[in-house]
């Protein structure tokens, strides 16, 4: 599916239906941060990214990696594409970008959502050609089995098939431990059966942190290239 045919790969700002301009204010703050910061790791995405910085795992594991958090609650692939095309990648050269987006794309099919994520990866490659990219898989959601769980799982399957063709990008599925043997998700892991608690973030933080440490360790070839 080409980007022209995929509505999930169309850059769109959020409509300010509430009238307080908060989404654009957050975007403008991120653009300003790009002028002042020199991050080694850039996190981009929706509330799953945004809320991470409210917990101890951010301060303990990710902030020391010189990380920026450009997450906005409710964002879809379309909204994130627009943000990245309109200033949130200017003046910064992160060595790794962590992308976590897609669970809010309620109007799109699983294939379209995966295509929207692929479009973001392609944009990141074009704007930040030296950066390595980590795509986090969509988590299961809802206390009990439901169609959105199945859809997010299908998105992950599409990503596993398509991302290896895009160059230096890794897919990390961090959702396998949240569904119990009876098919339920605990409120101890997701307080509203979607957003993670402190212990929920603890589950995903360890494998992600380990992967980031690996990616941030320069190979001899990269070290030589940086000296040129």
């Amino acid at each position: 599916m080409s980007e022209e045919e995929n509505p999930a790969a169309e850059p769109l700002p959020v409509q300010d239906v509430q009238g307080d301009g908060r989404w654009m204010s957050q975007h403008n703050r991120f653009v300003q941060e790009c002028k002042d910061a020199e991050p080694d790791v850039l996190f981009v995405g929706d509330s799953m990214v945004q809320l991470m910085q409210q917990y101890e795992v951010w301060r303990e594991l990710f902030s020391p990696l010189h990380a920026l958090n450009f997450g906005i609650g409710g964002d879809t692939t379309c909204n994130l594409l627009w943000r990245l095309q309109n200033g949130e990648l200017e003046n910064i050269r992160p060595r790794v970008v962590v992308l976590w987006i897609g669970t809010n794309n309620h109007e799109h099919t699983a294939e379209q959502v995966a295509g929207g994520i692929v479009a973001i990866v392609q944009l990141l490659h074009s704007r930040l050609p030296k950066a390595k990219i980590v795509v986090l898989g969509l988590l299961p959601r809802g206390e009990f089995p439901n169609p959105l769980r199945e859809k997010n799982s299908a998105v992950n399957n599409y990503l596993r098939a398509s991302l290896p063709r895009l160059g230096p990008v890794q897919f990390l599925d961090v959702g396998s431990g949240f569904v119990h043997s009876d098919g339920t998700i605990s409120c101890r892991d997701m307080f509203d059966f979607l957003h993670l608690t402190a212990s929920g973030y603890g589950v995903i933080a360890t494998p992600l942190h380990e992967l980031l440490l690996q990616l941030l360790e320069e190979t001899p070839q990269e070290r030589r290239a940086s000296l040129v």
Side-chain angles (χ1 to χ4, degrees):
M1 179 182 298
S2 69
E3 291 182 29
E4 291 77 13
E5 300 170 337
N6 184 0
E10 179 183 354
L12 291 172
V14 166
Q15 289 188 329
D16 187 23
V17 294
Q18 295 174 332
D20 57 10
R22 286 186 305 112
W23 185 87
M24 190 60 70
S25 294
Q26 292 177 86
H27 165 66
N28 290 336
R29 177 167 61 86
F30 296 156
V31 172
Q32 184 60 45
E33 285 189 48
C34 288
K35 299 176 182 178
D36 304 325
E38 296 181 0
D40 284 326
V41 182
L42 175 65
F43 284 73
V44 295
D46 52 30
S47 60
M48 307 304 288
V49 168
Q50 182 182 38
L51 294 176
M52 191 185 303
Q53 62 190 335
Q54 304 300 320
Y55 292 97
E56 196 62 33
V57 292
W58 181 264
R59 292 182 288 275
E60 288 184 355
L61 299 180
F62 301 119
S63 185
L65 300 181
H66 304 107
L68 277 183
N69 186 312
F70 285 179
I72 297 183
D75 265 12
T76 66
T77 54
C78 305
N79 308 140
L80 181 56
L81 266 172
W82 188 93
R83 289 200 280 128
L84 297 178
Q85 289 181 356
N86 287 274
E88 292 187 22
L89 297 177
E90 299 297 325
N91 306 306
I92 56 173
R93 294 294 178 266
R95 295 164 59 192
V96 182
V97 180
V98 179
L99 171 61
W100 206 4
I101 194 75
T103 199
N104 296 316
N105 283 66
H106 302 302
E107 298 179 359
H108 305 128
T109 67
E111 184 178 11
Q112 289 171 338
V113 177
I117 294 169
V118 166
I120 295 171
V121 171
Q122 292 171 329
L123 174 65
L124 291 169
H125 277 322
S126 68
R127 298 288 181 90
L128 303 170
K130 294 184 178 181
K132 301 166 184 174
I133 300 171
V134 176
V135 176
L136 295 181
L138 302 187
L139 297 183
R141 52 185 294 170
E143 182 179 9
F144 304 105
N146 63 84
L148 286 180
R149 272 199 211 173
E150 297 173 12
K151 177 183 173 183
N152 282 3
S153 178
V155 171
N156 292 343
N157 288 334
Y158 281 119
L159 292 174
R160 286 189 188 92
S162 56
L163 289 177
R165 300 193 292 267
L166 298 182
V169 55
Q170 297 203 36
F171 177 76
L172 183 63
D173 186 355
V174 291
S176 59
F178 290 107
V179 178
H180 294 238
S181 58
D182 61 356
T184 63
I185 288 175
S186 171
C187 62
R188 290 188 294 272
D189 292 323
M190 299 181 184
F191 59 85
D192 59 355
F193 306 106
L194 170 62
H195 298 99
L196 295 170
T197 62
S199 63
Y201 274 114
V203 171
I204 69 105
T206 299
L208 176 57
H209 183 251
E210 291 175 352
L211 177 57
L212 290 177
L213 290 179
Q214 295 174 20
L215 294 176
L216 288 169
E217 188 171 315
E218 285 186 327
T219 65
Q221 293 89 341
E222 290 171 332
R223 204 170 291 117
R224 285 195 296 270
S226 66
L227 296 174
V228 173

